[in-house]
Amino acid sequence: MSAENPTANTFNISTEDSCFSNYAAHDCFQAMSRLFLLYIFCFLAAFSPTSGFADDVDEEEDTNEKEELKEFVGIDMSELSIEELIPALQDIDLPEEGPLKVGVIPMKTAIGQPSLYLLRRSMKEAIEAGVAVVVLDMDTPGGRLDSTLEMMEILNEFSGVTVTYINDEAISAGAIISSVTDHIYFSKLGIMGAAAAVAGSGQEIPETMQAKIKSYLDARIESYGQDKQLRNKVIKAMMDTEYEFVHEGVLISPKGELLSLTASKAVAPFGDPPEPLIAAGIAESVEDILKYGFGTEDVEIIEYVASWSEEFAAVVEFLTPFLFGIGIVMLVVEMKTPSFGILGITGLALIVSAIFGHNVAGLAGFEAILLLVVGIILLAVEMFVLPGTFIFGLAGVVCILGAMVWSFADVWPVAPEPGQAPVDWKLNTDSIEDGIVNLALSLVVAAGGLWAVWRFLPKSWMMSRIVVESTVADPSAVVSGGGRYVEAGDSLPDIGSEGYVLTDLKPTGLVEVGGERFEATTSVGELRKGDKVLVIGYKSYSLLVDKKT
């Protein structure tokens, strides 16, 4: 700085200071602006319903949690002995004397009515035979839900030990049925799972209905397995894609998938002491299960076999109201034709089929068939021995209708202890209600059929053939033993003819006119044997008579 030019020096200094001040002010302004904007941003974020930060944190936490879950892997079967693959069961009571009786029931087809009938029949026979252990030898792709629910109830009726041997598949309905048995074993290639309900056509069920079915099945399975909570969770994962099954830090079934288990995964141990996920062991045969699991080779195995009869019973049960109703119509028509022929035989065959089919299905025993036979005998007495008495006919009808209802009766033998012979019986009352409903439907069918017969058959070619064919064997359609349908005036006595009563008319019975016997009906009241009568007209099936005064 020189003294000659002090002003310049001052300017320079002043200029430098001024520049410094301008830069400082600019930086200060920018800093304050940024602070102000940050303040406004924080203020708005505090009152914003969706800031975005919390969600990001939650997603990050969920990701971390899922990353921490262990992968679900099965055991290595190759390194285990047969004793380790089939550990001994606890609390198994073996008979003090004699072999352990075991019933093996095959479940080798799709679950449906035939499977239900096979199981019900086999379980009742097993109880009667003193069987203590029942094994379901299962290899099924699934099937009907209604049959599945009934089969679960049947298994619950058995007081002994129930076992499912998955050999090699228990898919869908098969998995649900397996869940209610006491113990589950897999073959080495066994698979169990994929138990979501679908429509009969294989299509998805609407969401609301699916939710109802899931809720009901969850409750039903839990009620049957209250002491098997881990198993219940496994079955839930097999039925519900929305259920994420995590157990002891292991992701067993992720959300969005249905659980299916192989043998090695089914016996994977969890907990302390270790408990298998769902299966008690992996076996090559039923005999191995009994030898190592139950600890005995002293066994008597009863194998129940599926046959055509279960298929027959399934068709018969569906058609029961039609078979029984049409059978009644044919019998009534046959009673009004000159002799017993094809209609009567066919009608009896339909009624017997309807009743016998339920016996095959494992419902009532031969009591229903016995009632039917008694009913037919009583009707025969009414028709051919003591016509017009009504008491035999009424009793016969009651027996036949009772046979129809009783054919639905689900009667179970009751044993005091598993493996012992039954000493009592119990009746499922719901089955009687089913019988009454089916009887009502049968009577509706019969009423409709009889109306059609009265309306159309008398004038049809079919009735003409029936009458003509029948009269070949019986020249007089209304002579002794006849009293069947003929056209009015055809070989019948003239109106005004006199005769007398052979059997009481209440209001129907037999009369003799002109030395021949005829079926007759009184117009009013009743007539006693020996009363004199006067023919006053004709009915479709008999003479119309009145007491001669």
Side-chain angles (χ1 to χ4, degrees):
M1 294 181 293
S2 63
E4 292 81 8
N5 194 6
T7 307
N9 188 32
T10 303
F11 177 80
N12 288 338
I13 293 175
S14 175
T15 301
E16 290 175 1
D17 292 340
S18 175
C19 289
F20 175 79
S21 299
N22 288 338
Y23 280 111
H26 178 69
D27 291 340
C28 182
F29 176 79
Q30 286 185 331
M32 293 179 65
S33 299
R34 290 171 182 169
L35 287 172
F36 179 77
L37 291 174
L38 182 60
Y39 175 80
I40 294 298
F41 181 81
C42 292
F43 178 83
L44 294 175
F47 292 94
S48 174
T50 55
S51 63
F53 293 113
D55 289 343
D56 293 341
V57 172
D58 290 342
E59 290 177 3
E60 185 177 352
E61 290 178 353
D62 291 342
T63 303
N64 292 336
E65 288 180 3
K66 289 184 178 179
E67 289 176 354
E68 293 174 0
L69 294 177
K70 299 176 184 177
E71 181 183 359
F72 181 39
V73 293
I75 65 170
D76 184 359
M77 294 185 291
S78 63
E79 299 181 357
L80 299 178
S81 65
I82 189 169
E83 290 83 0
E84 292 173 311
L85 289 173
I86 313 176
L89 297 172
Q90 303 297 318
D91 301 325
I92 295 296
D93 295 326
L94 297 175
E96 296 180 359
E97 296 181 0
L100 175 66
K101 288 189 176 182
V102 180
V104 179
I105 306 173
M107 290 286 138
K108 300 293 186 179
T109 59
I111 300 300
Q113 295 299 93
S115 305
L116 167 63
Y117 299 153
L118 171 62
L119 179 64
R120 180 163 51 203
R121 173 175 62 83
S122 301
M123 292 293 281
K124 290 182 179 181
E125 291 178 4
I127 295 173
E128 292 175 353
V131 167
V133 179
V134 167
V135 179
L136 302 184
D137 188 2
M138 185 170 291
D139 186 10
T140 177
R144 291 174 49 171
L145 179 60
D146 56 345
S147 300
T148 298
L149 295 175
E150 289 193 61
M151 292 171 75
M152 293 167 69
E153 291 182 4
I154 289 172
L155 289 168
N156 194 51
E157 289 286 340
F158 186 64
S159 60
V161 180
T162 53
V163 176
T164 299
Y165 177 42
I166 300 176
N167 180 30
D168 290 321
E169 292 185 352
I171 306 301
S172 190
I176 296 174
I177 293 170
S178 302
S179 70
V180 301
T181 56
D182 298 317
H183 306 287
I184 301 174
Y185 287 87
F186 277 61
S187 67
K188 288 187 176 181
L189 299 179
I191 299 174
M192 176 184 181
V198 295
S201 60
Q203 298 176 343
E204 293 292 331
I205 297 176
E207 185 176 349
T208 303
M209 181 58 68
Q210 183 75 263
K212 290 181 179 180
I213 293 174
K214 288 178 185 176
S215 176
Y216 176 77
L217 285 175
D218 284 345
R220 177 64 71 89
I221 290 170
E222 186 175 355
S223 68
Y224 287 139
Q226 296 182 16
D227 59 338
K228 299 179 177 66
Q229 295 303 315
L230 181 57
R231 179 188 291 189
N232 295 343
K233 292 179 181 178
V234 172
I235 300 300
K236 183 177 179 64
M238 291 180 176
M239 296 190 301
D240 190 356
T241 56
E242 297 300 313
Y243 178 60
E244 183 180 64
F245 184 23
V246 177
H247 189 63
E248 296 185 355
V250 178
L251 179 60
I252 297 174
S253 179
K255 186 176 181 180
E257 297 181 11
L258 291 175
L259 176 63
S260 291
L261 293 174
T262 60
S264 64
K265 289 185 175 181
V267 296
F270 288 89
D272 186 19
E275 175 188 0
L277 183 63
I278 193 170
I282 301 173
E284 292 288 346
S285 65
V286 172
E287 288 78 7
D288 284 348
I289 294 173
L290 299 173
K291 179 179 179 181
Y292 297 99
F294 285 77
T296 180
E297 293 183 79
D298 186 15
V299 296
E300 177 185 343
I301 296 179
I302 303 173
E303 295 188 2
Y304 299 95
V305 181
S307 66
W308 62 268
S309 59
E310 279 77 32
E311 298 286 348
F312 168 74
V315 174
V316 167
E317 184 177 39
F318 177 75
L319 297 176
T320 291
F322 300 97
L323 294 175
F324 201 82
I326 295 172
I328 291 174
V329 172
M330 288 186 170
L331 283 179
V332 171
V333 173
E334 183 62 56
M335 290 169 62
K336 300 303 179 179
T337 54
S339 62
F340 198 82
I342 187 65
L343 283 180
I345 294 173
T346 304
L348 284 177
L350 291 177
I351 292 175
V352 170
S353 297
I355 293 176
F356 183 71
H358 293 96
N359 176 265
V360 173
L363 290 170
F366 288 95
E367 301 89 350
I369 296 177
L370 179 62
L371 270 177
L372 176 64
V373 171
V374 172
I376 292 173
I377 292 173
L378 290 173
L379 283 181
V381 171
E382 175 70 30
M383 292 167 57
F384 304 115
V385 181
L386 298 171
T389 57
F390 279 98
I391 183 63
F392 293 101
L394 180 61
V397 170
V398 170
C399 286
I400 292 175
L401 297 182
M404 167 65 179
V405 174
W406 190 255
S407 69
F408 281 83
D410 190 10
V411 182
W412 282 85
V414 178
E417 294 291 340
Q420 296 184 4
V423 296
D424 199 0
W425 303 86
K426 66 177 180 179
L427 174 66
N428 180 359
T429 55
D430 291 341
S431 63
I432 297 297
E433 294 178 6
D434 293 339
I436 294 173
V437 170
N438 276 269
L439 175 61
L441 293 175
S442 300
L443 294 179
V444 170
V445 172
L450 289 174
W451 176 85
V453 168
W454 302 158
R455 179 69 176 81
F456 302 109
L457 193 58
K459 300 178 182 179
S460 69
W461 64 270
M462 182 178 178
M463 178 56 77
S464 299
R465 285 184 62 86
I466 293 172
V467 173
V468 170
E469 290 174 0
S470 299
T471 55
V472 171
D474 188 353
S476 176
V478 290
V479 179
S480 177
R484 303 293 187 255
Y485 176 87
V486 293
E487 293 293 339
D490 183 7
S491 72
L492 291 171
D494 295 331
I495 293 177
S497 300
E498 298 180 4
Y500 64 93
V501 178
L502 293 176
T503 62
D504 292 346
L505 303 185
K506 300 180 181 179
T508 301
L510 290 181
V511 298
E512 183 175 313
V513 179
E516 295 180 334
R517 293 195 297 175
F518 301 89
E519 185 172 326
T521 301
T522 178
S523 61
V524 179
E526 299 179 357
L527 295 177
R528 299 295 180 183
K529 181 179 178 179
D531 289 346
K532 292 184 177 181
V533 294
L534 187 69
V535 177
I536 62 173
Y538 309 103
K539 299 191 68 174
S540 297
Y541 304 99
S542 62
L543 300 178
L544 183 62
V545 298
D546 201 356
K547 186 174 183 179
K548 182 181 178 182
T549 56

